[in-house]
Amino acid sequence: MAQNQINTCLKRIFTVFNCFFAIIGAIIILLTLLSQVVTDVNVEELEGRTSGLITLYVVGIVTLTIAVLGAYGANRENKVCLIIFLVCMVIGSLMMLRVGIVIATARPQVEGVLENKLRSLLPLDKASEDVRQKADDVQTNLQCCGLFSYNDWEENIPDSCLCNRMQEDEGLCQTVSYRSLFQSTQQRKTIFSKPCFPTIMHFLLMIINVVMGVFLTLGMLAVLGMILSSIMIHQMRHRSRATMLMTVPAIFTAQPPKYEELQNAPGY
């Protein structure tokens, strides 16, 4: 029976690490599948949906595969598998940390860039049909009116801004007066009081924070996996040295006290 070359405690820690890594990969795959099912009804409105889903599937499958490879290499003490795992961890840690740092650096600029892009669409009542349709959908779902205020629609406030009695009782609405293009008299409408941009920005920053946290967490886990796999490969290359470290050095062996040596010495 071959002697174990890797410390048993280290092997168990590494196995637990890879189980956790595999769970993360499986969660990414399941969340991607759920996103695909949920967004399938509005495929034509989601730009880049296919490429995004493919990227998430690849990340989940690669994470799961690497975790299985690392666990197999540790349990079987397969040096080739551990070396492949180490190379993947080095590449993965560099990529994940780089992306996470780039996202963290660009995060403060997102609000200004998005605001400038949305202001270029104003006024909304004179925008393209596609922009107006998307604005109506956002206003209906988020219960808001206009990107920055209801004045974004100028004199043509759409029905998606209107409140019902229940929403009015909840304090979500305000009553405004305006004059449309086709009527000379003032009109009053009860519309949502909050604009859409703060809510859009809140959800966008939340998504950015989640993505940044995922990449930085995966990067730190990759660094940890790199350290653990490096130690195990080192133990497999220097098996005899590792065995000597497990033995008790001679200086710690029990020796008789000095006074007993003097007492039993010849001539005393």
Side-chain angles (χ1 to χ4, degrees):
M1 182 176 180
Q3 184 180 3
N4 292 335
Q5 304 178 46
I6 302 176
N7 183 271
T8 304
C9 181
L10 179 62
K11 186 185 297 186
R12 291 176 180 174
I13 294 174
F14 191 71
T15 302
V16 172
F17 167 81
N18 281 283
C19 290
F20 179 71
F21 215 58
I23 291 174
I24 293 178
I27 290 175
I28 294 175
I29 295 174
L30 291 176
L31 290 179
T32 306
L33 180 61
L34 180 62
S35 300
Q36 182 178 1
V37 173
V38 171
T39 59
D40 190 55
V41 293
N42 293 319
V43 175
E44 68 280 359
E45 299 181 3
L46 298 175
E47 299 179 359
R49 171 181 178 271
T50 303
S51 59
L53 291 175
I54 292 176
T55 301
L56 290 175
Y57 275 127
V58 170
V59 171
I61 293 174
V62 170
T63 302
L64 185 60
T65 304
I66 292 176
V68 173
L69 180 68
Y72 175 83
N75 289 316
R76 296 294 184 179
E77 298 190 0
N78 190 310
K79 187 182 296 185
V80 176
C81 291
L82 290 177
I83 291 176
I84 296 175
F85 180 88
L86 175 60
V87 173
C88 293
M89 289 296 101
V90 173
I91 298 175
S93 61
L94 293 176
M95 292 179 58
M96 297 298 175
L97 292 177
R98 182 179 183 276
V99 174
I101 292 173
V102 169
I103 295 176
T105 304
R107 184 184 181 279
Q109 306 172 7
V110 171
E111 184 173 359
V113 172
L114 181 61
E115 181 177 353
N116 292 333
K117 182 177 181 180
L118 293 180
R119 286 193 182 276
S120 66
L121 302 176
L122 303 180
L124 291 175
D125 59 334
K126 295 180 176 63
S128 64
E129 179 66 25
D130 183 58
V131 172
R132 294 199 303 270
Q133 181 61 46
K134 289 183 178 180
D136 284 335
D137 294 339
V138 170
Q139 290 175 157
T140 302
N141 295 327
L142 300 183
Q143 297 184 350
C144 55
C145 185
L147 295 175
F148 304 96
S149 75
Y150 69 91
N151 292 321
D152 295 340
W153 291 100
E154 291 188 344
E155 299 176 349
N156 190 19
I157 300 177
D159 293 340
S160 58
C161 284
L162 301 182
C163 292
N164 56 36
R165 181 56 61 87
M166 182 180 300
Q167 294 165 340
E168 189 175 355
D169 293 338
E170 294 175 355
L172 301 176
C173 309
Q174 62 177 341
T175 302
V176 297
S177 300
Y178 76 101
R179 180 176 296 171
S180 66
L181 295 174
F182 305 101
Q183 296 181 357
S184 58
T185 59
Q186 291 280 344
Q187 290 191 5
R188 295 172 64 87
K189 282 188 175 182
T190 303
I191 62 175
F192 294 114
S193 57
K194 68 177 183 178
C196 297
F197 179 75
T199 305
I200 294 174
M201 199 65 222
H202 170 74
F203 284 111
L204 180 60
L205 289 178
M206 182 176 64
I207 294 173
I208 291 175
N209 291 336
V210 170
V211 173
M212 180 176 62
V214 168
F215 276 101
L216 292 177
T217 301
L218 289 176
M220 298 304 296
L221 288 175
V223 172
L224 179 59
M226 180 175 60
I227 295 173
L228 293 175
S229 58
S230 298
I231 295 174
M232 288 190 295
I233 293 173
H234 177 76
Q235 287 188 356
M236 295 179 67
R237 287 181 176 177
H238 305 279
R239 179 175 56 180
S240 59
R241 184 180 303 179
T243 306
M244 292 176 59
L245 292 175
M246 298 300 295
T247 60
V248 181
I251 58 175
F252 293 105
T253 56
Q255 296 181 355
K258 295 296 182 182
Y259 70 88
E260 290 187 6
E261 294 180 2
L262 294 174
Q263 184 177 0
N264 297 330
Y268 288 92

